Amino acid sequence: MSAAEFFAMGGYGFYVWGSFGVTLLLMVVEPMLLKGRRRAIQKRIARMARAKVGER
Amino acid sequence: MFETFLAIVRRDLILAMRRRSDMLTILFFFVIVVSLFPLGIGPEMNTLRLIAPGVVWVAALLASMLALERLFAIDYADGALEQMLLAPQPLSLLVLGKVAAHWLVTGLPLVLMAPVLGIQYDLSLDGLRVLVITLLLGTPALSLIGAIGAALTLGLRGGGVLVSLLVLPLTIPVLIFGAGAVEATISGLGGEGHMSMLAAILVLSLFFAPLAAAAALRVSVE
Amino acid sequence: MSSRIVNWFKFSSPATFYPLAGRMIPWFTAAAVILLGVGLYMSFFVAPTDYKQGEGYRIIFVHVGTAWMSMFIYVVMAAWAGLGLVFNTRVSAMMATALAPTGAMFTFVALWTGALWGKPMWGTWWVWDARLTSELILLFLYLGFIALQSAIDEPRRADRAGAILALVGVVNIPIIYYSVQWWNTLHQGATVSVSQGSSMGTVMLWTMLIMTLGFWAYAIAVVLARVRCIILERERDTTWVNELEGGVR
Amino acid sequence: MLEVVDLECVRGDRKLFTQLSFSLSGGELLYLYGQNGSGKTTLMRAICGLLQPTEGEIRWEGESIRELSDEYTREVVYIGHKNGIKDDLTALENLRILSTLDGVHMSEDQAWDALDRIGLRGFEDLPTQVLSQGQKRRVALARLLAHQAKFWILDEPFTALDKAAVSLLQQVIRDHLDSGGMVMLTTHQEVKLTEGQVKQLQLGGGGQADV
């Protein structure tokens, strides 16, 4: 089965890749958003810790 | 115990009578929403007759959602709700009292007004009869399920819209069986099956909704 | 017996749960990648072409898996929420909050793939089929849960209010599904519902199972990562968080 | 007899107080003081059961108030900043509905009498909306006259009250204490209460209870 045939998916290419594509896309985007959220909270904690050190 | 239930119902009815405008605004909203559809869809009687059950029921649903705002909000603001929580009676009974009064003030008028609107859509006599019965069974269930949403969103900014987002998905069975019964009656299939389901939902929510709403109130008033 | 209860409660404190979750995430991520890899390979190269629907039917491997996950996650969320409400353990409440976005994501994907599958088969993007309609209502329930929790500032009240809503929701799901089923058969009679499709060969069943397990492993990894974020956000001024994160920068 | 053991309350993510323990028995008055935001109201709401503390135990006659629930709330009356008065109802209606909620059956003339003694003669059947803040407070406090609850929890009861009302309320509290009742209150005014058993509890700023 050549690559072109594979992508054509018997004429249903758009629908098949539209489904699989969006599913896998979201399963990549969600962890990335989480990583951003984690970095943000870590930065905030670090800043608070520094502020506390500054106070003492 | 039952005496407190009656006291709460009487108190809320007196309060509603003293602020009659609140009650009428809900009713006017219901009438206006139902009357808008022909303007949007066209005066063609056949289509109107077809969509009548759905339109009246969706409008009743929206009117009930609108009315939920007042259910606990005023008592929460002036501290009366705290006193209800501290009353040595079961809170779910007091909640049931409040919902009963709330239904009498906002739900019942919808039921009484529905036939008039049904005529506006040229509904048959049978259709009107079943419409009133289903609304009579359905609107209390809407108030009961809505009470849970009202209790959860007590004191939140933007609470009014949030209540609808929380409660509407839960009221879909009531809408399906309510509107379905009317449509089944008109098309000759007979709406008894739907109405018995609606009655079952009402009984279920009569028992469970006050318990859930009471728990939600305890969480919200904290 | 008592020792088992004790250690269960030991894990329920954020400080002990946080590192544990951290250790589990890599394993579940790896499992997810492997399972999904195998599942995808089977979906395209092992599963035969369907005589009626041609290649388009392969969408079923994603659609059914995500639809099943969306239902499963809501029930798990309600269970964690119920636990948090009864035992007042904060980590279980955080788990419920962490599950909701992933559940909503799977529900959206299930609707998306349902629509993309419906278009070639029945010519319309949206079919008021009983399952798809229930899936749409499930999405509303998820959005309601997330909206309620984000509208409440006080974390404890948000947890417990969300828990009550999730429990009320989970009780309503069968009722909603049954009434939608009734509504669907009354109005349209027996149209071809999305899930019947072609008869299920064993290969297809296996592919679908593996894909679902892949989604399941993915969900656990993502939810554990999110619950760690929530723990950090909520415990940011406790000593153990400062020691852990404070010294990082 | 009220016992509080290692109580801890968190508001938002601020720990208001922790390891707070004290007890209160019949005939005693607990005077709670501390600057604003030190958690006085939170403590009172926790004691009366409106709020669930994060740690610690509150016991009434030896049993946790969560188990007792209705039996406990029957013994308690809580008057917070918000009076619990409906503006659209008259003072009479408000008093009778609040008493019914407390489980106390109050007849028409008992209500008139209570309102009279609290100094609201002539205002009994007016909608409370038209009454002044001090008069509304009196309506809320009129409940105490008819109430058999043993334990009064009053959050700044003297605010907005004039001289006469303050001394009247003091007398009512004294009578309640003499008859074996218990009172827990906060106030900012320097008010001379009873000579008898007065316990003090300071919150916030080195909040170690000196009780």
Side-chain angles (χ1 to χ4, degrees), chain A residues 6-17:
Chain A
F6 177 72
F7 282 110
M9 268 291 139
Y12 295 103
F14 170 74
Y15 304 110
V16 171
W17 300 120

PDB file of all heavy atoms in Angstrom, chain A residues 6-17:
ATOM      1  N   PHE A   6      -2.331   5.274   1.215  1.00  0.00           N
ATOM      2  CA  PHE A   6      -2.535   5.275   2.669  1.00  0.00           C
ATOM      3  C   PHE A   6      -3.209   6.583   3.099  1.00  0.00           C
ATOM      4  O   PHE A   6      -4.203   6.599   3.816  1.00  0.00           O
ATOM      5  CB  PHE A   6      -1.194   5.104   3.368  1.00  0.00           C
ATOM      6  CG  PHE A   6      -1.298   5.164   4.870  1.00  0.00           C
ATOM      7  CD1 PHE A   6      -1.872   4.110   5.586  1.00  0.00           C
ATOM      8  CD2 PHE A   6      -0.856   6.296   5.559  1.00  0.00           C
ATOM      9  CE1 PHE A   6      -1.980   4.175   6.975  1.00  0.00           C
ATOM     10  CE2 PHE A   6      -0.958   6.347   6.947  1.00  0.00           C
ATOM     11  CZ  PHE A   6      -1.511   5.288   7.651  1.00  0.00           C
ATOM     12  N   PHE A   7      -2.676   7.705   2.566  1.00  0.00           N
ATOM     13  CA  PHE A   7      -3.240   8.980   3.020  1.00  0.00           C
ATOM     14  C   PHE A   7      -4.634   9.200   2.456  1.00  0.00           C
ATOM     15  O   PHE A   7      -5.480   9.841   3.065  1.00  0.00           O
ATOM     16  CB  PHE A   7      -2.316  10.144   2.634  1.00  0.00           C
ATOM     17  CG  PHE A   7      -1.146  10.237   3.578  1.00  0.00           C
ATOM     18  CD1 PHE A   7       0.129   9.910   3.150  1.00  0.00           C
ATOM     19  CD2 PHE A   7      -1.347  10.562   4.916  1.00  0.00           C
ATOM     20  CE1 PHE A   7       1.190   9.946   4.049  1.00  0.00           C
ATOM     21  CE2 PHE A   7      -0.291  10.599   5.813  1.00  0.00           C
ATOM     22  CZ  PHE A   7       0.986  10.274   5.370  1.00  0.00           C
ATOM     23  N   ALA A   8      -4.893   8.581   1.281  1.00  0.00           N
ATOM     24  CA  ALA A   8      -6.214   8.819   0.693  1.00  0.00           C
ATOM     25  C   ALA A   8      -7.282   8.109   1.526  1.00  0.00           C
ATOM     26  O   ALA A   8      -8.409   8.594   1.635  1.00  0.00           O
ATOM     27  CB  ALA A   8      -6.236   8.294  -0.732  1.00  0.00           C
ATOM     28  N   MET A   9      -6.893   6.977   2.147  1.00  0.00           N
ATOM     29  CA  MET A   9      -7.830   6.236   3.001  1.00  0.00           C
ATOM     30  C   MET A   9      -9.126   5.928   2.234  1.00  0.00           C
ATOM     31  O   MET A   9     -10.231   6.137   2.736  1.00  0.00           O
ATOM     32  CB  MET A   9      -8.182   7.063   4.262  1.00  0.00           C
ATOM     33  CG  MET A   9      -7.272   6.752   5.433  1.00  0.00           C
ATOM     34  SD  MET A   9      -7.566   5.074   6.058  1.00  0.00           S
ATOM     35  CE  MET A   9      -5.858   4.603   6.340  1.00  0.00           C
ATOM     36  N   GLY A  10      -8.955   5.513   0.986  1.00  0.00           N
ATOM     37  CA  GLY A  10     -10.127   5.107   0.227  1.00  0.00           C
ATOM     38  C   GLY A  10     -11.123   6.243   0.122  1.00  0.00           C
ATOM     39  O   GLY A  10     -12.330   6.054   0.259  1.00  0.00           O
ATOM     40  N   GLY A  11     -10.575   7.471  -0.036  1.00  0.00           N
ATOM     41  CA  GLY A  11     -11.493   8.599  -0.239  1.00  0.00           C
ATOM     42  C   GLY A  11     -11.971   9.206   1.080  1.00  0.00           C
ATOM     43  O   GLY A  11     -12.509  10.293   1.115  1.00  0.00           O
ATOM     44  N   TYR A  12     -11.730   8.507   2.196  1.00  0.00           N
ATOM     45  CA  TYR A  12     -12.210   9.068   3.463  1.00  0.00           C
ATOM     46  C   TYR A  12     -11.098   9.802   4.207  1.00  0.00           C
ATOM     47  O   TYR A  12     -11.219  10.085   5.389  1.00  0.00           O
ATOM     48  CB  TYR A  12     -12.750   7.935   4.349  1.00  0.00           C
ATOM     49  CG  TYR A  12     -13.977   7.251   3.799  1.00  0.00           C
ATOM     50  CD1 TYR A  12     -13.880   5.998   3.193  1.00  0.00           C
ATOM     51  CD2 TYR A  12     -15.217   7.876   3.853  1.00  0.00           C
ATOM     52  CE1 TYR A  12     -14.996   5.378   2.660  1.00  0.00           C
ATOM     53  CE2 TYR A  12     -16.340   7.258   3.322  1.00  0.00           C
ATOM     54  CZ  TYR A  12     -16.218   6.013   2.735  1.00  0.00           C
ATOM     55  OH  TYR A  12     -17.336   5.392   2.225  1.00  0.00           O
ATOM     56  N   GLY A  13     -10.004  10.048   3.493  1.00  0.00           N
ATOM     57  CA  GLY A  13      -8.809  10.605   4.140  1.00  0.00           C
ATOM     58  C   GLY A  13      -9.144  11.769   5.055  1.00  0.00           C
ATOM     59  O   GLY A  13      -8.803  11.782   6.227  1.00  0.00           O
ATOM     60  N   PHE A  14      -9.881  12.738   4.525  1.00  0.00           N
ATOM     61  CA  PHE A  14     -10.144  13.949   5.316  1.00  0.00           C
ATOM     62  C   PHE A  14     -10.786  13.576   6.648  1.00  0.00           C
ATOM     63  O   PHE A  14     -10.381  13.995   7.724  1.00  0.00           O
ATOM     64  CB  PHE A  14     -11.091  14.864   4.513  1.00  0.00           C
ATOM     65  CG  PHE A  14     -11.611  16.014   5.319  1.00  0.00           C
ATOM     66  CD1 PHE A  14     -10.781  17.085   5.623  1.00  0.00           C
ATOM     67  CD2 PHE A  14     -12.916  16.021   5.809  1.00  0.00           C
ATOM     68  CE1 PHE A  14     -11.241  18.142   6.390  1.00  0.00           C
ATOM     69  CE2 PHE A  14     -13.385  17.085   6.574  1.00  0.00           C
ATOM     70  CZ  PHE A  14     -12.537  18.133   6.861  1.00  0.00           C
ATOM     71  N   TYR A  15     -11.765  12.674   6.587  1.00  0.00           N
ATOM     72  CA  TYR A  15     -12.504  12.371   7.821  1.00  0.00           C
ATOM     73  C   TYR A  15     -11.645  11.564   8.780  1.00  0.00           C
ATOM     74  O   TYR A  15     -11.596  11.819   9.983  1.00  0.00           O
ATOM     75  CB  TYR A  15     -13.777  11.605   7.456  1.00  0.00           C
ATOM     76  CG  TYR A  15     -14.623  12.363   6.461  1.00  0.00           C
ATOM     77  CD1 TYR A  15     -14.762  11.919   5.129  1.00  0.00           C
ATOM     78  CD2 TYR A  15     -15.214  13.568   6.815  1.00  0.00           C
ATOM     79  CE1 TYR A  15     -15.508  12.642   4.227  1.00  0.00           C
ATOM     80  CE2 TYR A  15     -15.948  14.298   5.908  1.00  0.00           C
ATOM     81  CZ  TYR A  15     -16.091  13.838   4.600  1.00  0.00           C
ATOM     82  OH  TYR A  15     -16.804  14.553   3.713  1.00  0.00           O
ATOM     83  N   VAL A  16     -10.907  10.568   8.221  1.00  0.00           N
ATOM     84  CA  VAL A  16     -10.110   9.718   9.115  1.00  0.00           C
ATOM     85  C   VAL A  16      -9.015  10.548   9.774  1.00  0.00           C
ATOM     86  O   VAL A  16      -8.851  10.547  10.999  1.00  0.00           O
ATOM     87  CB  VAL A  16      -9.505   8.543   8.307  1.00  0.00           C
ATOM     88  CG1 VAL A  16      -8.513   7.797   9.173  1.00  0.00           C
ATOM     89  CG2 VAL A  16     -10.612   7.628   7.804  1.00  0.00           C
ATOM     90  N   TRP A  17      -8.267  11.296   8.915  1.00  0.00           N
ATOM     91  CA  TRP A  17      -7.162  12.087   9.502  1.00  0.00           C
ATOM     92  C   TRP A  17      -7.698  13.247  10.339  1.00  0.00           C
ATOM     93  O   TRP A  17      -7.120  13.644  11.335  1.00  0.00           O
ATOM     94  CB  TRP A  17      -6.214  12.570   8.388  1.00  0.00           C
ATOM     95  CG  TRP A  17      -5.632  11.414   7.660  1.00  0.00           C
ATOM     96  CD1 TRP A  17      -5.738  11.121   6.350  1.00  0.00           C
ATOM     97  CD2 TRP A  17      -4.888  10.338   8.255  1.00  0.00           C
ATOM     98  NE1 TRP A  17      -5.111   9.939   6.061  1.00  0.00           N
ATOM     99  CE2 TRP A  17      -4.580   9.436   7.212  1.00  0.00           C
ATOM    100  CE3 TRP A  17      -4.451  10.048   9.568  1.00  0.00           C
ATOM    101  CZ2 TRP A  17      -3.873   8.268   7.441  1.00  0.00           C
ATOM    102  CZ3 TRP A  17      -3.737   8.871   9.793  1.00  0.00           C
ATOM    103  CH2 TRP A  17      -3.458   7.994   8.716  1.00  0.00           C
TER     104      TRP A  17
END
